[in-house]
Amino acid sequence: MTATLEHSNFTVADPHATAAWMQNVFGWNIRWEGEAKAGGYTVHIGSKDSYLALYKPKSVRPSQESSYDVLGGLNHVGIVVSDIDAAEARVIAAGFTPVNHGDYEPGRRFYFDDDNGIEFEVVAYD
């Protein structure tokens, strides 16, 4: 048996705004959008094989907790790119700040937080 991650679902303040920067940074497309659980709204964005579900409930409450300190917390999302320098330029153009750069076998990486407080790890493999 094999298993493949198809999608993850995140709560965001504005699914359309988050989808817009993801289109610009990662080149992804909106696969579906519409009404969702408990009167919320969801935008699915990604590739033909996988996506992120960007969910906005009726009322959004920002969290003051660090995901690294909460059981079951989502700590970061890893995204593989073919050109890490181009990806970093797009992240900066989207208004985010790349941090924690690292070269390691077999690739390179950096991190950034989006405007929802979600941490992304961008990695390119040799």
Side-chain angles (χ1 to χ4, degrees), residues 21-63:
W21 77 251
M22 288 181 170
Q23 285 175 308
N24 291 333
V25 171
F26 300 128
W28 291 344
N29 295 305
I30 294 175
R31 296 169 39 133
W32 176 86
E33 65 179 286
E35 294 181 16
K37 180 179 184 172
Y41 194 85
T42 298
V43 174
H44 291 182
I45 184 161
S47 67
K48 67 180 183 71
D49 298 319
S50 64
Y51 65 95
L52 297 178
L54 309 174
Y55 171 74
K56 179 183 178 190
K58 278 186 176 181
S59 175
V60 177
R61 290 178 294 131
S63 173

Side-chain angles (χ1 to χ4, degrees), residues 14 16 25 28-29 44 47-48 57 68 72 93 98 103 106 113 117 120 123:
D14 182 341
H16 290 108
V25 171
W28 291 344
N29 295 305
H44 291 182
S47 67
K48 67 180 183 71
Y68 286 91
D103 292 346
D113 291 344
F120 290 84
V123 62

